[in-house]
Amino acid sequence: MAHGTVERGIAGEVVKSALVEELERALGADAVLWRPYDLMLYEYDGSIDKSRAQAVVFPRSARDVSAIIKACNARGVPYTARGAGTGLSGGAIPSQGGVLISFARMNRILDIDLANLRATVEPGLVNLRLSQAVAHEKLLYVPDPSSQKACTIGGNVGENSGGPHTLRYGVTTNHTLGLEFVLPDGEIVETGGSALEYPGYDLTGLYVGSEGTLGMATKVICRLVPMAESVKTLLVVFPTIAAASTAVGGIISRRIIPAALEMMDNLCIQAVESKAKVGFPLDAEAVLIVEVEGLAEEIESMAEEIDAVCRGYDALDIRIAKDEAERARVWAARKGAFGAIGAITPDYYTVDGVVPRSKLPEVLAEIGEISKRSGQRIANVFHAGDGNLHPLILFDEDVPGETERTIEAGADIMRLCAESGGSLSGEHGIGMEKKDLMPLIFSEDDVEIMQRVKRALDPAGYCNPDKLFPTPGRCLEMFARKGSAVGW
């Protein structure tokens, strides 16, 4: 049942619903959007799907969030959390309408605990601002998605986000030590804390990556990490994608774990250079960006070993950033690659999957075949060190059939990841986008166990519905939009 239809008066004018009036009484009129034009701005995220809420609300505290959830429960209305709307799997889309809870006004750093290397923040804090706030103490917050200038820490918690520098240090769950969140019945609870360990079930771990389906985070206790003494960034140029992707496994198999190990193919290089002249070689089929950090003596040795390994895999050229300014330009180009692709195509669809890094050469070759079969160009820019692929499928929504071919190509890539022993998501979640592909890697029993957890905490099912779990009745039937079977 959809809960996104606006109410109209006798003359056809849009009028406030009883729910909107109740929310305005609880939060104030300036904290509730309900007119169609305003709602339209919140009906999408970074994915393809769209759906409009009945109201968008802007709480300022956990108590506000609790009041919103209780109001929704009383009226049988679903609700969905939203950070910055940069998600790529439809996790923040109000698929059944209802109330969209934006955390844009809960964006403060509440505490920085230098003695324990912790920070307590509100979920709407933009990721990058935490590292900026502690940089003068030579500290940083490690998870650094490409969207870190815009995405929020609450959204990162929901999706268990990663980023280039999580190869060595881990993803969001490894840097989330405690939470305050509002349960689907409106109760405010706390888990974890500033200590290193707590007995009992790891409820913080359960919540991180649950994609907003088990409640709404209202505070996050984050781990802060000291900056390394020295950093060295290498740009390694390869003649083929196969050579570059094989070198990734070669580096790791030498027991060298860089802080970051990223890969871009020629289409991405072309896009990046068309936007900003970084100096990436336009004739290279692929480049690796390898960053090592640690003690000065240590990274010199690591850089020399990486140089030797890469030359063994036919590297054409190896450049080392000569200073911090050049290093910053390289990373700005890498993190701006998605935006650069957006400048060369009307639309693109980001796929998120994981494969064992040893399978990268054959998987990337097959993605090339999927591109040929679909007729859609596919660019590759991804976290090669941990096998987290991000194929970007270029298309034009206005060209009949291209959207369908693009989605089908994305599903083919997901099947490829599953068949290669990988997973459906490395950091962007399942959301609406891939829920009907879950049978590719989970059995019915697996999903039933997850659904028991969901029902235990959210028996009414109002908390971010239509995410994660396969559509009932879809399994073993035709996967509607993709036109191909998936299921148990």
Side-chain angles (χ1 to χ4, degrees):
M1 177 181 178
H3 296 265
T5 305
V6 298
E7 295 189 12
R8 295 184 181 276
I10 295 175
E13 77 281 14
V14 177
V15 297
K16 293 180 184 178
S17 66
L19 174 61
V20 168
E21 291 180 344
E22 181 178 351
L23 292 170
E24 286 189 345
R25 285 194 296 274
L27 306 175
D30 67 340
V32 183
L33 299 177
W34 55 275
R35 294 180 174 84
Y37 179 83
D38 295 329
L39 299 178
M40 181 176 64
L41 303 176
Y42 292 87
E43 67 183 17
Y44 58 87
D45 62 4
S47 64
I48 289 179
D49 295 296
K50 294 181 182 179
S51 184
R52 190 171 298 182
Q54 181 181 352
V56 179
V57 294
F58 299 87
R60 294 185 181 278
S61 67
R63 184 173 297 181
D64 285 351
V65 175
S66 177
I68 295 164
I69 290 177
K70 289 177 179 176
C72 290
N73 287 338
R75 296 175 184 277
V77 172
Y79 51 90
T80 300
R82 180 185 176 93
T86 57
L88 295 169
S89 62
I93 293 177
S95 59
Q96 292 186 11
V99 175
L100 188 64
I101 303 174
S102 168
F103 287 94
R105 294 179 184 174
M106 292 180 66
N107 59 359
R108 296 174 298 166
I109 297 174
L110 301 173
D111 181 55
I112 294 175
D113 179 357
L114 294 178
N116 292 304
L117 297 180
R118 312 285 189 252
T120 303
V121 307
E122 291 183 321
L125 180 73
V126 170
N127 175 300
L128 183 60
R129 290 181 184 164
L130 180 53
S131 286
Q132 290 174 333
V134 296
H136 66 287
E137 298 287 351
K138 304 295 183 186
L139 297 171
L140 59 83
Y141 175 63
V142 168
D144 60 339
S146 297
S147 59
Q148 72 175 144
K149 290 182 179 177
C151 68
T152 64
I153 288 181
N156 297 164
V157 168
E159 304 295 342
N160 192 19
S161 300
H165 290 86
T166 54
L167 170 61
R168 183 169 181 175
Y169 297 103
V171 294
T172 297
T173 193
N174 305 113
H175 298 270
T176 303
L177 302 170
L179 294 167
E180 174 191 84
F181 61 95
V182 183
L183 291 168
D185 65 359
E187 182 183 0
I188 301 170
V189 299
E190 294 181 353
T191 64
S194 292
L196 287 176
E197 184 58 76
Y198 288 87
Y201 295 127
D202 180 10
L203 298 180
T204 304
L206 172 66
Y207 185 90
V208 177
S210 64
E211 304 191 21
T213 62
L214 301 180
M216 306 281 151
T218 47
K219 287 181 188 173
V220 183
I221 301 176
C222 304
R223 184 195 308 275
L224 301 176
V225 174
M227 293 180 183
E229 175 187 291
S230 300
V231 178
K232 193 176 286 291
T233 303
L234 296 83
L235 179 69
V236 189
V237 182
F238 287 92
T240 65
I241 291 175
S245 55
T246 307
V248 172
I251 293 170
I252 302 295
S253 67
R254 293 283 293 270
R255 307 296 187 267
I256 304 169
I257 308 299
L261 179 45
E262 302 286 295
M263 181 170 164
M264 291 197 299
D265 68 8
N266 181 265
L267 186 51
C268 273
I269 294 170
Q270 298 279 347
V272 166
E273 283 295 313
S274 70
K275 188 176 180 183
K277 303 299 181 186
V278 184
F280 290 169
L282 294 173
D283 57 349
E285 285 302 311
V287 296
L288 293 181
I289 300 171
V290 191
E291 186 153 282
V292 294
E293 61 182 37
L295 300 175
E297 299 80 2
E298 177 188 17
I299 67 168
E300 288 298 332
S301 172
M302 290 173 68
E304 289 173 3
E305 286 191 71
I306 290 169
D307 184 300
V309 170
C310 290
R311 292 191 187 281
Y313 290 99
D314 301 328
L316 299 173
D317 189 20
I318 299 176
R319 307 173 189 175
I320 298 177
K322 63 180 182 297
D323 54 30
E324 180 57 30
E326 187 172 6
R327 172 177 174 261
R329 285 197 296 275
V330 169
W331 280 113
R334 163 60 187 91
K335 294 193 175 186
F338 284 30
I341 289 291
I344 64 170
T345 179
D347 303 284
Y348 68 88
Y349 173 40
T350 304
V351 183
D352 171 38
V354 180
V355 298
R357 64 175 72 90
S358 59
K359 298 290 184 66
L360 281 175
E362 59 201 72
V363 168
L364 290 169
E366 183 56 28
I367 289 174
E369 295 301 314
I370 292 172
S371 175
K372 292 176 184 175
R373 289 198 298 271
S374 66
Q376 305 301 135
R377 292 187 296 168
I378 300 179
N380 289 288
V381 50
F382 62 100
H383 312 308
D386 47 17
N388 186 185
L389 303 169
H390 290 322
L392 308 179
I393 308 174
L394 283 56
F395 71 107
D396 185 345
E397 188 178 32
D398 293 332
V399 175
E402 284 212 357
T403 300
E404 290 74 14
R405 289 199 298 274
T406 295
I407 293 174
E408 185 172 353
D412 286 344
I413 293 172
M414 287 294 94
R415 288 187 184 82
L416 176 61
C417 291
E419 291 165 1
S420 301
S423 175
L424 302 181
S425 175
E427 57 179 343
H428 296 162
I430 299 300
M432 295 174 65
E433 176 201 17
K434 290 179 284 196
K435 61 178 184 173
D436 289 319
L437 296 173
M438 288 282 274
L440 289 174
I441 61 171
F442 293 109
S443 69
E444 284 186 271
D445 289 342
D446 294 335
V447 172
E448 172 57 23
I449 290 171
M450 293 185 229
Q451 288 178 320
R452 286 182 194 174
V453 175
K454 167 72 171 173
R455 288 194 295 269
L457 292 171
D458 181 27
Y462 297 144
C463 186
N464 203 12
D466 287 343
K467 312 292 163 61
L468 273 176
F469 301 114
T471 307
R474 186 70 61 85
C475 300
L476 289 179
E477 297 177 359
M478 299 301 285
F479 185 46
R481 293 188 302 181
K482 283 77 176 176
S484 51
V486 62
W488 295 302

